Amino acid sequence: MPLPADIRSDAIPRHIAVIMDGNGRWAKAQGWQRIKGHRAGADAVTRCVEACNDLGVEFLTLYAFSTENWQRPKSEVAALMTLLERFLKEQLSRMVADNVRLQAIGRLTDLPQSCQEELHRCIEATSQNTGVTMILALSYGSREEIVDGIRSLLRNVSEGHLDSAMITPDVVSKHLYTRYFPDPDLLIRTSGEMRLSNFLLWQCSYAEIVILQKFWPDFQKEDLYQSVRDYQKRQRRFGAV
Ligand code: IPE
Ligand code: IPE
Ligand code: MG
């Protein structure tokens, strides 16, 4: 499909990261249970992936479940895990048809066994796809990722594979879950909250940030396009003048 009006093809963000927030408040506003908001949020994911594919975005990281989210009521956590598994089962044929490659970051072994199996099945089945790479952040926490990275660095040093004097920001990046992906250029958060909530703290050092007021289930393809238009108006300076 042709690019939406006003979007320049030479300045598409390579990597967009999204904090998909506001599912619970969206449901509550209509007098429904929170889980209904999560279900509607899954449909918004499909629209977001499609919009990224339309624009030729290479990587889309979606914050789907944080390490802190395990503290939510057991019933909500269980419902989210069931929804994740169903989402993966239902989406696989669409991902294959739309050339989407699935990847995941986080402490994936925390997930229920059946979720892990479905996740790995989808990752495997889409591994040769060449469209957008959708990276699900699951049981993800940036501080936990950095701790895991430090452990991996220390192991390399103690085994004699790495000299501590050789540790640079690039070397640290290579020890994070995101080592195969470039840093996000654009970070979008819905529901008006202006915080990172332990998401990609290291990687978003120079990401442009767009905060949308609407709740995640109301996210439309046009919201992705508009966020990219806003991004294209920014002057990225990386500390230079
Ligand atoms: C985001 O929506 C989805 C997850 C964190 C899993 P929330 O569930 O945080 O919804 P609000 O922010 O409470 O409205
Ligand atoms: C961040 O949203 C996590 C996800 C979107 C998965 P939260 O709703 O958990 O974050 P806080 O509690 O508002 O900071
Ligand atoms: Mg929230």
Side-chain angles (χ1 to χ4, degrees):
M1 100 165 221
L3 279 185
D6 310 336
I7 295 187
R8 291 185 359 243
S9 60
D10 61 341
I12 301 292
R14 268 191 90 190
H15 185 172
I16 298 179
V18 186
I19 303 176
M20 310 183 288
D21 197 19
N23 292 353
R25 279 164 286 167
W26 179 88
K28 201 174 159 212
Q30 358 243 341
W32 296 334
Q33 298 210 321
R34 293 175 58 83
I35 184 64
K36 267 206 166 183
H38 296 312
R39 276 192 211 118
D43 296 334
V45 168
T46 308
R47 295 192 290 273
C48 185
V49 176
E50 269 182 27
C52 285
N53 239 352
D54 292 347
L55 295 186
V57 171
E58 290 176 64
F59 301 92
L60 170 68
T61 300
L62 298 172
Y63 203 7
F65 194 86
S66 73
T67 45
E68 288 76 14
N69 289 151
W70 291 111
Q71 296 161 29
R72 292 188 178 194
K74 254 189 170 161
S75 56
E76 180 167 344
V77 171
L80 279 166
M81 293 302 144
T82 304
L83 187 62
L84 168 65
E85 200 176 324
R86 195 185 315 151
F87 173 83
L88 291 168
K89 281 197 176 114
E90 287 173 4
Q91 290 291 312
L92 180 56
S93 56
R94 187 193 289 265
M95 287 191 280
V96 170
D98 292 349
N99 199 19
V100 175
R101 182 171 74 119
L102 184 72
Q103 293 278 291
I105 55 172
R107 289 190 173 162
L108 304 179
T109 52
D110 292 348
L111 300 172
Q113 192 63 36
S114 56
C115 273
Q116 291 184 46
E117 283 165 14
E118 200 52 43
L119 189 61
H120 290 300
R121 197 167 77 89
C122 292
I123 289 172
E124 178 62 33
T126 61
S127 66
Q128 301 303 316
N129 288 354
T130 55
V132 65
T133 297
M134 167 167 66
I135 304 153
L136 291 180
L138 294 166
S139 192
Y140 175 86
S142 191
R143 289 181 167 182
E144 287 72 11
E145 175 184 37
I146 290 169
V147 168
D148 286 347
I150 291 171
R151 288 202 184 112
S152 159
L153 283 165
L154 288 176
R155 212 167 30 245
N156 275 264
V157 170
S158 70
E159 288 171 1
H161 305 309
L162 180 68
D163 178 348
S164 65
M166 306 291 273
I167 299 176
T168 62
D170 278 344
V171 171
V172 173
S173 293
K174 289 283 169 265
H175 287 262
L176 300 178
Y177 307 150
T178 50
R179 58 184 158 276
Y180 306 115
F181 318 122
D183 286 343
D185 303 292
L186 169 61
L187 172 69
I188 300 171
R189 182 166 187 154
T190 54
S191 88
E193 306 294 352
M194 302 215 195
R195 54 177 173 263
L196 291 173
S197 303
N198 203 14
F199 187 48
L200 301 175
L201 304 180
W202 172 278
Q203 297 88 338
C204 281
S205 291
Y206 272 101
E208 295 296 331
I209 300 175
V210 169
I211 304 290
L212 300 176
Q213 294 306 317
K214 60 171 62 174
F215 298 133
W216 176 250
D218 287 330
F219 187 91
Q220 305 299 328
K221 289 173 79 170
E222 182 53 31
D223 294 309
L224 194 282
Y225 301 148
Q226 190 52 43
S227 301
V228 170
R229 284 190 198 99
D230 289 351
Y231 165 86
Q232 293 192 335
K233 288 188 199 119
R234 308 276 178 93
Q235 192 196 359
R236 300 185 80 187
R237 286 198 287 273
F238 301 100
V241 287

